[in-house]
Amino acid sequence: MNLVIDIGNTTAKVAIFKDNTIVEVFRSSNQSLDCLPEILERFPVRQGIVASVISLTKKVTEQLEAFPFSVILLNATTPIPIENLYHTPETLGCDRLAAIIGASEIYPGRNLLVIDAGTAITFDFINAHGQYLGGNISPGKSMRFKALHTFTNKLPLLSEEGNRVPLGIDTDTAIREGVMKGIEYEIKGYIDFFQKNYPDLLVFLTGGDGFLFETSLKNLIFADKFLVLKGLNRILNYNNGRI
């Protein structure tokens, strides 16, 4: 079995795979990975991969070094099953790369746009030839709410929860609708742009913040909250000769 660890900015996801199938997914602190002892006790893990967008803590590093099997620490030099045309691969987030690889494994030979909504919202594109061309990074939902509060004198700190109307009728609804509609229109804009240039485009949506909006491309959009984990598992198998 494969152990796949995705350490993000706010939390960590840990998954057990049997071949290409997810057996179970755990969530844990990105500072401690407290779920690891239970996982190793329950599952006969033979190999693992770790991707992190933050610096590993001492505790996490010690746990990884104590594993009785080989572990890949994903970085810019790790062999991958696609062509990466990003000009600075050493700065490319492991989660972005894994999500693209996960999508391309599900739909190989297609033009794919992967949108990941988490701490940041990322838009990444891989063409039908298996070439990752790059992508963009935008502030995520929580970051937008916090920015309006932090960088102004009087605007309150809000969240998505609460009254929403099409046009703000007070400061709270103006902020809430402004943030949420801004994200919606931004995502729709990216999808429309890529569809015009690639009519056969498929779109993958992933990430913890989810997407609640209508689009004319509904039949061409696939929501997969485990896309990054699937991509990491693909990289792990690729590096161990199980293509």
Side-chain angles (χ1 to χ4, degrees):
M1 288 186 163
N2 291 348
L3 175 66
V4 174
I5 302 175
D6 170 29
I7 302 176
N9 286 298
T10 56
T11 189
K13 292 180 182 177
V14 183
I16 292 293
F17 279 79
K18 184 177 182 181
D19 298 323
N20 295 321
T21 302
I22 295 177
V23 176
E24 193 166 347
V25 176
F26 303 81
R27 284 174 172 78
S28 182
S29 164
N30 60 359
Q31 301 295 305
S32 61
L33 298 182
D34 293 325
C35 62
L36 287 180
E38 175 194 348
I39 292 173
L40 297 181
E41 184 176 335
R42 289 178 53 193
F43 300 100
V45 177
R46 297 186 178 276
Q47 57 188 14
I49 186 169
V50 179
S52 180
V53 299
I54 65 172
S55 298
L56 298 180
T57 64
K58 181 181 179 181
K59 180 175 181 179
V60 170
T61 300
E62 290 175 347
Q63 290 185 94
L64 300 181
E65 292 175 345
F67 283 168
F69 49 83
S70 62
V71 178
I72 294 173
L73 297 177
L74 182 61
N75 58 44
T77 65
T78 304
I80 55 176
I82 64 169
E83 184 179 0
N84 185 1
L85 299 181
Y86 208 65
H87 288 190
T88 56
E90 68 280 359
T91 69
L92 177 61
C94 296
D95 51 345
R96 295 173 61 193
L97 181 63
I100 277 288
I101 291 174
S104 65
E105 181 184 25
I106 297 171
Y107 279 99
R110 295 295 299 267
N111 294 303
L112 304 172
L113 175 65
V114 175
I115 305 173
D116 189 339
T119 303
I121 302 175
T122 56
F123 303 84
D124 291 290
F125 179 76
I126 184 170
N127 65 23
H129 305 292
Q131 298 171 312
Y132 170 62
L133 302 185
N136 293 341
I137 304 172
S138 183
K141 180 171 61 180
S142 295
M143 195 181 299
R144 296 181 193 219
F145 281 116
K146 289 177 182 177
L148 286 173
H149 172 66
T150 301
F151 297 107
T152 63
N153 188 33
K154 294 184 178 180
L155 294 182
L157 177 60
L158 301 178
S159 67
E160 178 183 3
E161 289 72 32
N163 186 32
R164 288 187 59 183
V165 292
L167 190 65
I169 53 176
D170 53 36
T171 299
D172 284 11
T173 54
I175 291 174
R176 191 172 293 115
E177 201 66 11
V179 168
M180 300 308 297
K181 281 297 183 183
I183 292 174
E184 176 183 333
Y185 294 151
E186 182 178 334
I187 290 173
K188 285 183 176 179
Y190 272 101
I191 292 174
D192 289 344
F193 170 80
F194 278 98
Q195 189 191 30
K196 288 177 183 177
N197 289 276
Y198 303 92
D200 66 336
L201 180 76
L202 296 180
V203 181
F204 277 85
L205 308 179
T206 190
D209 277 351
F211 303 85
L212 297 173
F213 62 91
E214 293 296 323
T215 171
S216 60
L217 287 179
K218 186 164 60 175
N219 293 331
L220 300 177
I221 292 180
F222 304 89
D224 190 335
K225 62 182 178 180
F226 298 132
L227 198 60
V228 172
L229 295 173
K230 292 176 180 178
L232 292 175
N233 187 63
R234 174 76 176 97
I235 297 170
L236 176 59
N237 287 334
Y238 180 80
N239 277 269
N240 285 284
R242 297 166 60 190
I243 300 176

